[in-house]
Amino acid sequence: MRIPWPRSVFAQVLAVQLAITTGVTILATGLFLAPFGSHLDDQAMRRALAIAQTAAEPAVARDLVATEPSASGPVQQAAERVRRATGALYVVVMDTRGVRWSHTTPAQIGKYVSTDPGRALAGQEVMEIDTGTLGRSARAKVPLRDDRGEIVGAVSVGIAYGSVRDQLFGAVPGMMLYAGAALAVGVLAALLVSRSLRRRTHGVAFADISALLDEREAMLHGVREGVVACDRYGRIRLVNDEARRLLNLDADATGHTPDEALPPGRTADVLAGRVDGTDLLTVCGGRVLIANRMPTRDAGTVVTLRDRTELELLGRELDSTQGLLDALRAQGHEHANRLHILLGLIEIGRHDRAAQLIADVAHTHRASAEQIAERVRDPLLSALLVGKSAVAAERGVPLRLSPDTLLTDRVVDPRDLVTVLGNLIDNAVDAVAGHRPPDPFIEVELRAEGTTAVLRVADTGPGLPPEMHEQVFTEGWSTKPPDRRPHGRGIGLALVGRLAERYGGTARVTARAGGGAVFTVVLPEALALDDVAEESALDEESAPVVELAFSGESR
């Protein structure tokens, strides 16, 4: 016959708790009674030993040697006196042959003992549970010595085993009472826990819980947003695959606080709740993240993370493209003006001057692009410099290369250098164009030191106070007014700082002599090893400052 088993969680837990409580109570009672019986046996044997040691006094030894065994002899009287005083079952005194000189039954005096006294006569003290002429008893045997210490006999004392058994059985009702009280408390606790569990689980079955957990795991690890859950003590208790990727967390991050699992910075502050707000912007490992933090019922929190890196880069590319379009539009106006000049020269018959004008313009543009490509041989970086020079020229800021610029095409990941250089040039253009100094310019330097790439951008803008030099690479920090971007400014230099940290390098800002700022970024291992010898850097005479020729003269 199959025993019906409940389906709901609370009923199953209640049944299991009742079974466990009953079993534990029975087991604990049995485990207590078993050693309790052994303890009573040991206690009875030790009591018998103590009585035997008391009875084995020198006077009894002298009487044993000087008299014959009899029911009225001094040995029998002394033994009976001890037996009555202690309540022992018997006190037997024997000689070295094993002949009794005392016994509870006088008829047994003069007869041999029923158990072997050899060990006691050999000088040992013996404790045991054994059966003799008076039944089963807890007994002890000790040697009997005379005044010179020689063994002249032995004393055997027995404690009725029935009294030991009576003590054991007498303790059982009290034990059962305590066991019953413990069982009642356990049943009551099981009922309370089951009722609380019923409210929390809403009566669902274990199979439903398993299915819900499977669905939750699939959902958490399937979404393309990072999810980090923390308990009430701020320790991470759940991280999905996307959050582990975005935050670059180790496999053992669970159980640690955000401060322990992440490097110091804004990301750890956001996860730990030290920064309030919605759609919080942070940068972690070169990624731009949007974080939202929500509390849970158990005083924990859940933080969701969205990757805005590609969107941010696309936005910056769109800004650059828009600036380039504006520059091209300005160049269109400039070329239209030159075409008008050219048309006038042709109409007035100054053909030689028209040809000279065309040659000058073509040579200037071609020479600038060729000089950039010669000094910066990576195509992405050289193309970036050409484009940024046009945008800077449109805003009236000449952009030029330092005479120390020389970077080969051994760049490991040109996109990282494009990100660093693009952000530094954009900030420099904004700073110089907004400040409008008498002699505005931006100077860019790219050079290789072994496998280390050094990028430096100097400008003639307003510069930065010394106390702000350590803050410029933090997320959200910006000297520019808020714009229409949904998450504000303060990303570009933060990305630069994170990229430098990822390469194990540095990003710093210093003041420029004469006004302005100098941003220097050092990226170790950004260049690949090359067996070909490096070309020597051009000196100032052979490599003059290259000023990019995409300036709008009509502007």
Side-chain angles (χ1 to χ4, degrees):
M1 181 179 178
R2 186 177 180 181
I3 300 176
W5 185 250
R7 292 188 69 254
S8 61
V9 175
F10 87 95
Q12 292 184 18
V13 171
L14 177 61
V16 171
Q17 285 181 327
L18 291 178
I20 291 175
T21 302
T22 304
V24 168
T25 302
I26 295 174
L27 181 62
T29 303
L31 291 176
F32 177 81
L33 289 177
F36 183 65
S38 300
H39 174 70
L40 291 178
D41 289 347
D42 182 73
Q43 194 175 37
M45 289 187 293
R46 291 187 180 279
R47 180 186 169 201
L49 179 64
I51 296 173
Q53 291 171 342
T54 302
E57 56 185 6
V60 175
R62 289 193 295 270
D63 292 338
L64 178 68
V65 174
T67 62
E68 295 293 329
S70 67
S72 59
V75 175
Q76 168 70 0
Q77 294 176 2
E80 284 298 298
R81 185 169 59 252
V82 172
R83 183 185 68 81
R84 288 192 297 269
T86 59
L89 177 64
Y90 63 84
V91 177
V92 175
V93 180
M94 67 194 78
D95 60 12
T96 54
R97 298 170 299 165
V99 176
R100 300 188 185 98
W101 287 65
S102 68
H103 196 275
T104 306
T105 304
Q108 298 292 330
I109 297 175
K111 297 181 179 180
Y112 288 97
V113 296
S114 58
T115 57
D116 182 18
R119 289 194 296 168
L121 294 174
Q124 299 180 15
E125 293 182 344
V126 181
M127 294 189 300
E128 59 187 358
I129 303 292
D130 204 353
T131 302
T133 58
L134 296 179
R136 189 171 177 81
S137 62
R139 61 183 61 184
K141 297 176 183 178
V142 298
L144 180 63
R145 301 177 186 271
D146 59 11
D147 294 334
R148 294 176 298 177
E150 296 182 358
I151 297 175
V152 296
V155 177
S156 177
V157 176
I159 302 294
Y161 195 75
S163 61
V164 178
R165 187 170 57 250
D166 291 343
Q167 292 183 43
L168 178 62
F169 290 157
V172 170
M175 280 296 305
M176 297 305 295
L177 180 63
Y178 285 116
L183 180 61
V185 172
V187 170
L188 179 61
L191 288 173
L192 295 176
V193 170
S194 298
R195 288 184 61 184
S196 174
L197 189 61
R198 182 178 185 179
R199 289 194 303 268
R200 292 176 179 271
T201 60
H202 304 288
V204 297
F206 271 116
D208 299 332
I209 292 179
S210 178
L212 289 173
L213 287 175
D214 291 340
E215 292 172 2
R216 189 201 72 160
E217 290 297 314
M219 180 181 65
L220 282 176
H221 296 289
V223 296
R224 300 308 300 166
E225 284 193 1
V227 178
V228 180
C230 299
D231 59 17
R232 67 176 64 191
Y233 304 106
R235 297 188 296 260
I236 298 174
R237 60 183 175 187
L238 183 145
V239 182
N240 71 344
D241 295 340
E242 183 67 7
R244 201 178 299 277
R245 182 186 71 84
L246 294 176
L247 300 176
N248 195 25
L249 291 175
D250 296 332
D252 58 348
T254 304
H256 295 80
T257 63
D259 294 325
E260 296 170 343
L262 293 170
R266 181 177 170 84
T267 304
D269 293 340
V270 170
L271 265 65
R274 292 188 287 269
V275 181
D276 296 328
T278 58
D279 290 342
L280 299 171
L281 192 65
T282 181
V283 177
C284 182
R287 294 186 180 92
V288 181
L289 306 177
I290 298 297
N292 283 283
R293 192 170 184 271
M294 296 295 293
T296 57
R297 283 186 178 181
D298 60 349
T301 55
V302 174
V303 181
T304 58
L305 302 167
R306 284 175 289 157
D307 191 355
R308 261 188 94 247
T309 306
E310 296 297 330
L311 183 60
E312 183 69 23
L313 292 177
L314 288 175
R316 291 185 173 274
E317 290 180 6
L318 182 60
D319 291 343
S320 298
T321 303
Q322 184 63 43
L324 186 56
L325 288 176
D326 293 340
L328 291 176
R329 188 177 299 110
Q331 293 290 329
H333 289 296
E334 183 179 347
H335 284 297
N337 292 334
R338 289 173 177 171
L339 287 177
H340 292 157
I341 296 173
L342 183 62
L343 179 60
L345 290 174
I346 293 174
E347 288 182 351
I348 65 176
R350 298 294 302 273
H351 300 94
D352 55 344
R353 187 68 182 90
Q356 183 65 35
L357 176 62
I358 294 174
D360 290 343
V361 172
H363 174 74
T364 301
H365 283 267
R366 183 171 61 253
S368 298
E370 289 176 353
Q371 288 173 345
I372 293 175
E374 181 182 356
R375 291 175 174 276
V376 182
R377 297 177 185 176
D378 184 84
L380 289 181
L381 290 171
S382 58
L384 174 72
L385 288 172
V386 171
K388 292 296 183 183
S389 65
V391 175
E394 161 61 18
R395 300 184 63 178
V397 182
L399 191 149
R400 65 194 190 191
L401 290 181
S402 165
D404 296 329
T405 295
L406 181 61
L407 192 67
T408 64
D409 57 354
R410 297 183 293 112
V411 181
V412 175
D413 192 347
R415 294 173 298 178
D416 290 342
L417 272 69
V418 165
T419 299
V420 172
L421 190 59
N423 280 299
L424 294 180
I425 292 177
D426 287 344
N427 287 338
V429 170
D430 290 340
V432 176
H435 183 55
R436 297 190 180 276
D439 182 21
F441 68 87
I442 297 172
E443 185 177 75
V444 178
E445 179 182 327
L446 296 92
R447 71 176 189 274
E449 296 179 356
T451 59
T452 300
V454 180
L455 292 77
R456 186 178 65 87
V457 176
D459 63 68
T460 55
L464 292 168
E467 62 271 12
M468 293 186 180
H469 287 180
E470 297 297 329
Q471 305 175 15
V472 295
F473 298 102
T474 14
E475 298 96 316
W477 188 92
S478 178
T479 58
K480 304 172 186 176
D483 57 11
R484 293 177 297 175
R485 297 180 185 178
H487 299 290
R489 293 184 178 272
I491 294 298
L493 290 179
L495 281 174
V496 171
R498 290 296 183 269
L499 282 173
E501 290 177 4
R502 193 172 71 184
Y503 276 87
T506 58
R508 58 190 179 89
V509 57
T510 57
R512 175 184 169 275
V518 179
F519 286 83
T520 305
V521 179
V522 179
L523 302 177
E525 306 301 328
L527 304 178
L529 292 174
D530 193 354
D531 294 335
V532 181
E534 285 289 334
E535 297 183 10
S536 59
L538 301 178
D539 55 24
E540 293 187 2
E541 294 181 357
S542 60
V545 174
V546 178
E547 182 166 339
L548 307 184
F550 294 91
S551 59
E553 297 176 359
S554 63
R555 304 283 290 178

